[in-house]
Amino acid sequence: MARGSGESSVRPWTRWQDWGAVVLGVYLILATLWTTTGPAALTAMIVLGALLGISGVWSLAIPGSITSEYAHVVLGILLVVSPWVLGYTASVGAAWTTWVVGVLAVVVGIAALPEASSAHRSGMARQH
């Protein structure tokens, strides 16, 4: 059956950007095993990593969810500012890990927005 021009070709569990968010979240949690951290860095890396992974799974399961893509961006921004806000910039490995993962989370969130918007619009069109 041919797809109509208004129907999105995005299927659940296929978008690379959302898999990227899951991988980044898991990596951030696992990085606490080989990165020297203090209590603040450890907490930030585990909590924000888990939230990033969960938002990635959310995006994978519901590809039309624009909110989940914005969650990636917000979590990425929180990761970027967390070393300064929580005071662990002296833990160079932990700080750089959260900065890099944070920037990448923002990138995958922004990269997924056009496809998520398209899937969202298609879903809304099918409901009418």
Side-chain angles (χ1 to χ4, degrees):
M1 182 181 218
R3 294 189 183 275
S5 62
E7 188 173 339
S8 173
S9 62
V10 178
R11 290 188 216 138
W13 308 101
T14 60
R15 218 171 22 224
W16 68 267
Q17 299 94 328
D18 300 331
W19 282 110
V22 172
V23 169
L24 288 169
V26 170
Y27 175 81
L28 191 60
I29 293 168
L30 293 176
T32 61
L33 299 174
W34 59 79
T35 306
T36 304
T37 62
L42 181 67
T43 302
M45 291 171 76
I46 290 173
V47 170
L48 294 174
L51 290 173
L52 184 58
I54 290 166
S55 71
V57 170
W58 172 18
S59 294
L60 283 165
I62 307 169
S65 173
I66 299 169
T67 306
S68 61
E69 306 307 339
Y70 283 117
H72 299 157
V73 174
V74 169
L75 289 167
I77 292 168
L78 289 175
L79 283 165
V80 169
V81 300
S82 67
W84 291 292
V85 172
L86 299 175
Y88 64 91
T89 54
S91 298
V92 178
W96 272 101
T97 300
T98 54
W99 287 327
V100 170
V101 170
V103 168
L104 291 174
V106 169
V107 168
V108 297
I110 291 171
L113 276 172
E115 289 182 53
S117 295
S118 174
H120 180 75
R121 281 191 304 275
S122 295
M124 296 300 287
R126 276 187 245 127
Q127 290 176 358
H128 294 296

